[in-house]
Coordinates of all heavy atoms in Angstrom, one line a residue:
E470 N 143.3 -111.1 207.0 CA 143.0 -110.7 205.6 C 142.2 -111.8 205.0 O 141.7 -111.6 203.8 CB 144.2 -110.4 204.8 CG 145.0 -109.2 205.2 CD 146.3 -109.0 204.5 OE1 146.8 -110.0 204.0 OE2 146.8 -107.9 204.4
I471 N 142.0 -112.9 205.6 CA 141.3 -114.1 205.0 C 139.9 -114.0 205.4 O 139.5 -114.1 206.6 CB 142.0 -115.4 205.4 CG1 143.4 -115.5 205.0 CG2 141.2 -116.6 204.8 CD1 144.2 -116.7 205.7
H472 N 139.0 -113.8 204.5 CA 137.6 -113.6 204.8 C 136.9 -114.9 205.3 O 136.2 -115.0 206.3 CB 136.8 -113.0 203.6 CG 135.4 -112.7 203.9 ND1 135.0 -111.6 204.6 CD2 134.2 -113.4 203.5 CE1 133.6 -111.6 204.7 NE2 133.2 -112.7 204.0
S473 N 137.1 -115.9 204.5 CA 136.5 -117.2 204.8 C 137.3 -118.4 204.2 O 138.1 -118.2 203.2 CB 135.0 -117.3 204.3 OG 135.0 -117.0 202.9
I474 N 137.0 -119.6 204.7 CA 137.7 -120.8 204.2 C 136.7 -121.9 204.1 O 135.9 -122.2 205.0 CB 138.8 -121.2 205.2 CG1 139.8 -120.1 205.4 CG2 139.6 -122.4 204.6 CD1 140.9 -120.4 206.5
F475 N 136.7 -122.5 202.8 CA 135.8 -123.6 202.6 C 136.5 -124.9 202.8 O 137.5 -125.2 202.1 CB 135.2 -123.5 201.2 CG 134.2 -124.6 200.8 CD1 132.9 -124.5 201.3 CD2 134.6 -125.7 200.0 CE1 132.0 -125.5 201.0 CE2 133.7 -126.6 199.8 CZ 132.4 -126.6 200.2
W476 N 136.0 -125.7 203.6 CA 136.6 -127.0 203.9 C 136.1 -128.1 202.9 O 134.9 -128.5 202.9 CB 136.2 -127.5 205.3 CG 136.9 -128.8 205.8 CD1 136.8 -130.0 205.1 CD2 137.7 -128.9 206.9 NE1 137.6 -130.9 205.9 CE2 138.2 -130.2 206.9 CE3 138.2 -128.0 207.9 CZ2 139.1 -130.7 207.9 CZ3 139.0 -128.5 208.9 CH2 139.5 -129.8 208.9
R477 N 136.9 -128.4 201.9 CA 136.6 -129.4 201.0 C 137.3 -130.7 201.3 O 136.6 -131.7 201.6 CB 136.9 -129.0 199.5 CG 136.7 -130.0 198.5 CD 135.2 -130.5 198.5 NE 135.1 -131.8 197.8 CZ 134.3 -132.7 198.1 NH1 133.4 -132.5 199.1 NH2 134.2 -133.8 197.4
T478 N 138.6 -130.7 201.3 CA 139.3 -132.0 201.7 C 140.6 -131.6 202.5 O 141.2 -130.6 202.2 CB 139.8 -132.8 200.5 OG1 140.5 -131.9 199.6 CG2 138.6 -133.3 199.7
F479 N 140.8 -132.4 203.6 CA 141.9 -132.1 204.4 C 142.9 -133.4 204.2 O 142.5 -134.5 204.4 CB 141.5 -132.1 205.9 CG 142.7 -132.0 206.8 CD1 143.5 -130.9 206.8 CD2 142.9 -133.0 207.8 CE1 144.6 -130.7 207.7 CE2 144.0 -132.8 208.7 CZ 144.8 -131.7 208.6
S480 N 144.1 -133.0 203.7 CA 145.0 -134.1 203.3 C 146.2 -134.2 204.3 O 147.2 -134.9 204.0 CB 145.6 -133.9 201.9 OG 146.1 -132.6 201.8
G481 N 146.1 -133.6 205.5 CA 147.2 -133.7 206.5 C 148.5 -132.9 206.0 O 148.3 -131.9 205.3
V482 N 149.6 -133.4 206.4 CA 150.9 -132.8 206.0 C 151.7 -133.8 205.3 O 151.5 -135.0 205.3 CB 151.6 -132.3 207.2 CG1 150.8 -131.2 208.0 CG2 152.0 -133.4 208.2
Y483 N 152.8 -133.3 204.6 CA 153.7 -134.2 203.9 C 155.1 -133.9 204.4 O 155.6 -132.8 204.3 CB 153.7 -134.0 202.4 CG 154.7 -134.7 201.7 CD1 154.8 -136.1 201.6 CD2 155.8 -134.0 201.1 CE1 155.8 -136.8 201.0 CE2 156.9 -134.7 200.5 CZ 156.9 -136.1 200.5 OH 157.9 -136.8 199.8
I484 N 155.7 -134.9 205.0 CA 157.1 -134.9 205.4 C 158.0 -135.8 204.5 O 157.7 -137.0 204.4 CB 157.3 -135.4 206.9 CG1 156.3 -134.7 207.9 CG2 158.7 -135.2 207.4 CD1 156.4 -133.2 207.9
P485 N 159.0 -135.2 203.8 CA 159.9 -136.0 203.0 C 160.5 -137.2 203.8 O 160.7 -137.0 205.0 CB 160.9 -135.1 202.6 CG 160.3 -133.7 202.7 CD 159.3 -133.8 203.8
Q486 N 160.7 -138.3 203.1 CA 161.2 -139.5 203.8 C 162.6 -139.2 204.4 O 163.5 -138.8 203.8 CB 161.3 -140.6 202.8 CG 161.6 -141.9 203.5 CD 160.5 -142.4 204.4 OE1 159.3 -142.3 204.1 NE2 160.9 -143.0 205.6
L487 N 162.7 -139.5 205.7 CA 164.0 -139.3 206.5 C 164.5 -140.7 206.9 O 163.8 -141.7 207.0 CB 163.8 -138.5 207.8 CG 163.2 -137.1 207.6 CD1 163.0 -136.4 208.9 CD2 164.1 -136.2 206.7
K488 N 165.8 -140.8 206.9 CA 166.4 -142.1 207.3 C 166.1 -142.4 208.8 O 165.9 -143.6 209.1 CB 168.0 -142.0 207.1 CG 168.4 -141.9 205.7 CD 169.9 -141.8 205.5 CE 170.4 -141.7 204.1 NZ 171.9 -141.6 204.0
D489 N 166.0 -141.4 209.6 CA 165.7 -141.6 211.0 C 164.2 -141.6 211.2 O 163.6 -140.5 211.1 CB 166.4 -140.6 211.8 CG 166.3 -140.8 213.3 OD1 165.3 -141.3 213.8 OD2 167.3 -140.5 214.1
S490 N 163.6 -142.7 211.5 CA 162.2 -142.8 211.7 C 161.7 -142.0 212.9 O 160.6 -141.4 212.9 CB 161.7 -144.3 211.9 OG 162.3 -144.8 213.0
Y491 N 162.5 -141.9 213.9 CA 162.2 -141.1 215.1 C 162.1 -139.6 214.7 O 161.2 -138.9 215.1 CB 163.2 -141.3 216.2 CG 162.9 -140.5 217.5 CD1 161.8 -140.7 218.2 CD2 163.8 -139.5 217.8 CE1 161.6 -140.0 219.3 CE2 163.6 -138.7 218.9 CZ 162.5 -138.9 219.7 OH 162.3 -138.2 220.8
Q492 N 163.1 -139.1 214.0 CA 163.1 -137.7 213.4 C 161.9 -137.5 212.6 O 161.2 -136.4 212.5 CB 164.4 -137.4 212.7 CG 165.6 -137.3 213.6 CD 165.5 -136.2 214.7 OE1 164.9 -135.2 214.4 NE2 166.1 -136.5 215.9
Q493 N 161.5 -138.5 211.8 CA 160.4 -138.4 210.8 C 159.1 -138.2 211.7 O 158.3 -137.3 211.3 CB 160.3 -139.7 210.0 CG 159.1 -139.8 209.1 CD 159.5 -139.4 207.7 OE1 160.6 -139.6 207.3 NE2 158.5 -139.0 206.9
Q494 N 159.0 -139.0 212.7 CA 157.8 -138.9 213.5 C 157.7 -137.5 214.2 O 156.6 -136.9 214.3 CB 157.7 -140.0 214.6 CG 156.4 -140.1 215.3 CD 155.2 -140.4 214.4 OE1 155.3 -141.4 213.6 NE2 154.2 -139.6 214.5
I495 N 158.8 -137.0 214.8 CA 158.9 -135.7 215.4 C 158.5 -134.6 214.4 O 157.7 -133.7 214.7 CB 160.3 -135.4 215.9 CG1 160.6 -136.3 217.1 CG2 160.5 -134.0 216.3 CD1 162.0 -136.2 217.7
A496 N 159.0 -134.7 213.2 CA 158.7 -133.7 212.1 C 157.2 -133.8 211.8 O 156.5 -132.7 211.7 CB 159.5 -134.0 210.9
F497 N 156.6 -134.9 211.7 CA 155.2 -135.1 211.4 C 154.4 -134.5 212.5 O 153.4 -133.7 212.3 CB 154.8 -136.6 211.2 CG 153.4 -136.8 211.0 CD1 152.8 -136.6 209.8 CD2 152.5 -137.2 212.1 CE1 151.4 -136.8 209.6 CE2 151.2 -137.4 211.9 CZ 150.6 -137.2 210.6
N498 N 154.7 -134.9 213.8 CA 153.9 -134.4 214.9 C 154.0 -132.9 215.1 O 153.0 -132.2 215.3 CB 154.4 -135.1 216.3 CG 154.1 -136.5 216.3 OD1 153.2 -137.0 215.6 ND2 154.8 -137.3 217.2
D499 N 155.2 -132.3 214.9 CA 155.3 -130.9 215.0 C 154.5 -130.1 213.9 O 153.9 -129.1 214.1 CB 156.8 -130.5 214.9 CG 157.5 -130.8 216.2 OD1 156.9 -131.1 217.2 OD2 158.8 -130.6 216.2
S500 N 154.6 -130.7 212.7 CA 153.9 -130.1 211.5 C 152.4 -130.1 211.7 O 151.7 -129.2 211.5 CB 154.3 -130.8 210.3 OG 155.7 -130.6 210.0
M501 N 151.9 -131.3 212.2 CA 150.5 -131.4 212.4 C 150.0 -130.5 213.6 O 148.9 -129.9 213.5 CB 150.1 -132.9 212.7 CG 150.0 -133.8 211.5 SD 148.7 -133.2 210.3 CE 147.2 -133.4 211.3
S502 N 150.8 -130.5 214.6 CA 150.4 -129.6 215.8 C 150.4 -128.1 215.4 O 149.4 -127.4 215.7 CB 151.4 -129.8 216.9 OG 151.1 -128.9 218.0
A503 N 151.3 -127.7 214.6 CA 151.4 -126.3 214.1 C 150.2 -126.1 213.2 O 149.5 -125.0 213.3 CB 152.7 -126.0 213.4
L504 N 149.9 -127.0 212.3 CA 148.8 -126.9 211.3 C 147.4 -126.8 212.1 O 146.6 -126.0 211.8 CB 148.8 -128.0 210.3 CG 147.7 -127.9 209.3 CD1 147.8 -126.6 208.4 CD2 147.8 -129.2 208.3
R505 N 147.2 -127.7 213.0 CA 146.0 -127.8 213.7 C 145.8 -126.5 214.5 O 144.7 -125.9 214.6 CB 145.9 -129.0 214.7 CG 145.8 -130.3 214.1 CD 145.4 -131.4 215.1 NE 146.4 -131.5 216.1 CZ 147.4 -132.4 216.1 NH1 147.6 -133.2 215.1 NH2 148.2 -132.4 217.2
S506 N 146.9 -126.0 215.2 CA 146.8 -124.7 215.9 C 146.4 -123.6 215.0 O 145.6 -122.7 215.3 CB 148.1 -124.4 216.6 OG 148.4 -125.5 217.6
F507 N 147.1 -123.5 213.9 CA 146.9 -122.5 212.9 C 145.4 -122.5 212.4 O 144.8 -121.4 212.3 CB 147.8 -122.7 211.7 CG 147.7 -121.6 210.6 CD1 148.4 -120.5 210.7 CD2 146.8 -121.8 209.6 CE1 148.4 -119.5 209.6 CE2 146.7 -120.9 208.6 CZ 147.5 -119.7 208.6
M508 N 144.9 -123.7 212.1 CA 143.5 -123.7 211.6 C 142.5 -123.3 212.6 O 141.4 -122.8 212.3 CB 143.3 -125.2 211.1 CG 144.1 -125.6 209.9 SD 144.0 -127.3 209.4 CE 142.4 -127.4 208.7
Q509 N 142.8 -123.6 213.9 CA 141.8 -123.2 214.9 C 142.0 -121.8 215.4 O 141.0 -121.1 215.8 CB 142.0 -124.2 216.1 CG 141.5 -125.6 215.7 CD 141.8 -126.6 216.9 OE1 141.0 -126.6 217.8 NE2 142.8 -127.4 216.7
A510 N 143.2 -121.2 215.2 CA 143.4 -119.8 215.6 C 143.0 -118.8 214.5 O 142.7 -117.7 214.8 CB 145.0 -119.6 215.8
C511 N 143.0 -119.3 213.2 CA 142.6 -118.4 212.2 C 141.1 -117.9 212.3 O 140.2 -118.6 212.5 CB 142.7 -119.1 210.8 SG 142.3 -118.1 209.4
P512 N 141.0 -116.5 212.4 CA 139.7 -116.0 212.8 C 138.7 -115.9 211.6 O 137.6 -115.5 211.8 CB 140.1 -114.5 213.2 CG 141.3 -114.2 212.4 CD 142.0 -115.5 212.3
S513 N 139.1 -116.4 210.5 CA 138.2 -116.4 209.3 C 137.0 -117.3 209.6 O 137.0 -118.2 210.5 CB 138.9 -117.0 208.1 OG 140.2 -116.4 208.0
R514 N 135.9 -117.1 208.8 CA 134.8 -118.0 208.9 C 135.1 -119.3 208.1 O 135.4 -119.3 207.0 CB 133.5 -117.4 208.2 CG 132.3 -118.3 208.3 CD 131.0 -117.6 207.8 NE 129.9 -118.4 208.2 CZ 128.6 -118.1 208.0 NH1 128.4 -117.0 207.4 NH2 127.6 -118.9 208.3
W515 N 135.1 -120.4 208.9 CA 135.3 -121.7 208.3 C 134.0 -122.4 208.0 O 133.0 -122.4 208.8 CB 136.0 -122.6 209.3 CG 137.5 -122.3 209.4 CD1 138.1 -121.3 210.2 CD2 138.6 -123.0 208.8 NE1 139.4 -121.3 210.0 CE2 139.8 -122.3 209.2 CE3 138.7 -124.0 207.9 CZ2 141.1 -122.7 208.8 CZ3 139.9 -124.5 207.5 CH2 141.1 -123.8 207.9
V516 N 133.9 -122.9 206.8 CA 132.7 -123.7 206.3 C 133.1 -125.0 205.8 O 133.4 -125.2 204.6 CB 132.0 -122.8 205.2 CG1 130.7 -123.5 204.7 CG2 131.6 -121.4 205.6
N517 N 133.3 -126.0 206.7 CA 133.0 -126.0 208.2 C 134.3 -126.0 209.0 O 135.4 -126.1 208.4 CB 132.2 -127.2 208.5 CG 130.8 -127.1 208.0 OD1 130.1 -126.2 208.4 ND2 130.4 -128.0 207.0
S518 N 134.2 -125.9 210.3 CA 135.3 -125.7 211.2 C 136.1 -127.0 211.5 O 135.5 -128.1 211.3 CB 134.9 -125.1 212.5 OG 134.0 -126.0 213.2
W519 N 137.3 -126.8 212.1 CA 138.0 -128.0 212.6 C 137.2 -128.8 213.6 O 137.2 -130.0 213.6 CB 139.3 -127.5 213.2 CG 140.2 -128.6 213.8 CD1 140.1 -129.0 215.1 CD2 141.1 -129.5 213.1 NE1 141.0 -130.1 215.3 CE2 141.6 -130.3 214.1 CE3 141.5 -129.5 211.8 CZ2 142.5 -131.4 213.7 CZ3 142.4 -130.6 211.5 CH2 143.0 -131.4 212.4
Q520 N 136.5 -128.1 214.5 CA 135.8 -128.7 215.5 C 134.7 -129.6 214.9 O 134.4 -130.7 215.4 CB 135.2 -127.7 216.5 CG 136.2 -127.0 217.4 CD 137.0 -125.9 216.8 OE1 136.7 -125.6 215.6 NE2 138.0 -125.4 217.4
A521 N 134.0 -129.1 213.9 CA 132.9 -129.8 213.2 C 133.5 -131.0 212.6 O 132.9 -132.1 212.6 CB 132.2 -128.9 212.2
Y522 N 134.7 -130.9 211.9 CA 135.4 -132.0 211.3 C 135.7 -133.1 212.3 O 135.5 -134.3 212.0 CB 136.6 -131.5 210.5 CG 137.5 -132.5 210.0 CD1 137.2 -133.2 208.9 CD2 138.7 -132.8 210.6 CE1 138.0 -134.2 208.4 CE2 139.6 -133.7 210.1 CZ 139.2 -134.4 209.0 OH 140.1 -135.4 208.5
Q523 N 136.3 -132.7 213.4 CA 136.6 -133.7 214.4 C 135.4 -134.4 214.9 O 135.4 -135.6 215.1 CB 137.4 -133.0 215.6 CG 138.8 -132.5 215.2 CD 139.7 -133.6 214.8 OE1 139.8 -134.6 215.4 NE2 140.4 -133.4 213.7
F524 N 134.3 -133.7 215.2 CA 133.1 -134.3 215.7 C 132.5 -135.3 214.7 O 132.1 -136.4 215.1 CB 132.1 -133.2 216.0 CG 130.8 -133.8 216.6 CD1 130.8 -134.3 217.9 CD2 129.6 -133.7 216.0 CE1 129.7 -134.8 218.5 CE2 128.5 -134.3 216.5 CZ 128.5 -134.8 217.8

Side-chain angles (χ1 to χ4, degrees):
E470 295 175 334
I471 303 170
H472 182 76
S473 58
I474 304 174
F475 181 78
W476 188 300
R477 177 54 199 150
T478 54
F479 177 62
S480 54
V482 300
Y483 170 71
I484 307 299
Q486 189 64 42
L487 302 177
K488 291 181 180 180
D489 188 325
S490 60
Y491 178 66
Q492 292 295 327
Q493 178 99 23
Q494 190 62 48
I495 290 176
F497 176 82
N498 290 342
D499 285 351
S500 296
M501 280 299 296
S502 180
L504 180 61
R505 289 195 302 265
S506 298
F507 181 89
M508 292 171 73
Q509 294 175 78
C511 184
S513 312
R514 180 175 193 175
W515 285 81
V516 181
N517 287 296
S518 68
W519 176 268
Q520 288 78 10
Y522 170 74
Q523 290 299 313
F524 183 68

